Amino acid sequence: MQFGVEMEKQLKTHAFVALVSGLLCVPVHSDEVETLEWSFVLEENGRVSLENVSGDVTILGVDGRNVEIKAVKRADSASGLEGLEIVIDSKKDMIRIETEHPDSGLSGLLWWNKSEDGQVDYTLRVPRDSNLDAISSVNGSVRIAQVGGTVIAKTVNGGIEASEIVSDARLETVNGSVKARFSQFEGNQKAKIESVNGRLSVMLPGDADCTVEAETINGSINGSDFDLAAEQGFVGHDLSGVIGSGSARLSLDTVNGGIKLLKD
């Protein structure tokens, strides 16, 4: 079985990032807390992106046109709290949120893990038809529910959970599991779900219509709910199968972890 050049490049990059993060990261014991809230109007099918360094991200699709942002900053000291800056770029069709720590780059990463560690936990309520262009965190979990547009989410150290997906999706983590539940999966829909060290669990509706490609190096693949069987290769397992007529495309890849394809 071949993983491909792209996956090999990602593994090298992710391995370095995970090593640096694992060596430098320490738990945040926060004495200082600050809660900030914003509200913006986003037009139909607007785009939302969020870039975080440390902290969990939760996003819920709701009725209406408002994007409600709640950010909870935590740090060991008042100066550490002040150093955590949240930058928001808001336009009628796009909202971009970014967490900035003092001194970006490697020097900033080293500073960030000293005595004044800080993190920001985000909770967003967005219009249901929003497109999540790029939701990312380095250390923290990502949870998304009831968002009807494209869903793209990445983290390095943390799990990803996404439910009630009805459009294209790309969910990636290095150290963590991924759980995804699709309310529909058919037509031109595409989804790619990846982890390096973690399990993948994907739930599809009973009337799903898609082609499935799944690979793992150290783990099993279970597609029995859809009468799909995996094959054991020289290294690892892989599965290629069709549900219905195979119109949509589903790609599942992990290195260390099992893969489950479940019927809702």
Side-chain angles (χ1 to χ4, degrees), residues 16 20-21 24 102-114:
F16 171 76
V20 171
S21 300
L24 297 179
D103 301 323
S104 60
L106 183 58
S107 61
L109 182 62
L110 293 169
W111 177 94
W112 168 58
N113 287 281
K114 292 181 180 179

Side-chain angles (χ1 to χ4, degrees), residues 39-71:
S39 180
F40 303 95
V41 175
L42 185 66
E43 69 178 24
E44 186 176 352
N45 300 314
R47 297 175 291 119
V48 177
S49 64
L50 187 154
E51 183 178 340
N52 199 17
V53 177
S54 181
D56 297 334
V57 177
T58 301
I59 302 176
L60 177 66
V62 298
D63 294 332
R65 301 259 42 100
N66 286 347
V67 174
E68 307 289 343
I69 304 167
K70 179 179 179 180

Side-chain angles (χ1 to χ4, degrees), residues 70-186:
K70 179 179 179 180
V72 180
K73 297 165 54 177
R74 295 182 172 89
D76 289 344
S77 66
S79 60
L81 196 68
E82 185 178 358
L84 290 170
E85 184 178 359
I86 297 171
V87 179
I88 301 176
D89 181 13
S90 173
K91 296 180 174 62
K92 64 179 182 179
D93 63 343
M94 179 276 294
I95 294 176
R96 175 179 172 81
I97 308 157
E98 184 177 357
T99 309
E100 291 189 351
H101 289 256
D103 301 323
S104 60
L106 183 58
S107 61
L109 182 62
L110 293 169
W111 177 94
W112 168 58
N113 287 281
K114 292 181 180 179
S115 59
E116 294 185 340
D117 286 355
Q119 71 176 51
V120 182
D121 295 324
Y122 286 96
T123 301
L124 275 61
R125 296 167 64 87
V126 304
R128 294 187 194 277
D129 59 10
S130 299
N131 292 288
L132 303 184
D133 268 1
I135 307 301
S136 66
S137 183
V138 178
N139 295 296
S141 63
V142 178
R143 298 179 180 88
I144 299 167
Q146 300 179 22
V147 176
T150 298
V151 175
I152 300 176
K154 302 179 182 181
T155 185
V156 177
N157 297 305
I160 298 176
E161 295 184 17
S163 61
E164 299 175 71
I165 306 170
V166 296
S167 190
D168 292 352
R170 181 156 189 165
L171 310 174
E172 300 178 9
T173 183
V174 178
N175 297 306
S177 62
V178 181
K179 295 181 179 180
R181 178 176 176 269
F182 291 83
S183 296
Q184 72 176 44
F185 203 72
E186 59 188 10

Side-chain angles (χ1 to χ4, degrees), residues 1-32:
M1 181 185 64
Q2 294 183 347
F3 240 38
V5 175
E6 181 180 354
M7 188 62 178
E8 290 177 0
K9 290 181 179 178
Q10 290 178 353
L11 289 179
K12 292 177 181 177
T13 303
H14 290 162
F16 171 76
V17 173
L19 175 61
V20 171
S21 300
L23 289 174
L24 297 179
C25 292
V26 293
V28 176
H29 303 291
S30 306
D31 295 320
E32 301 290 334

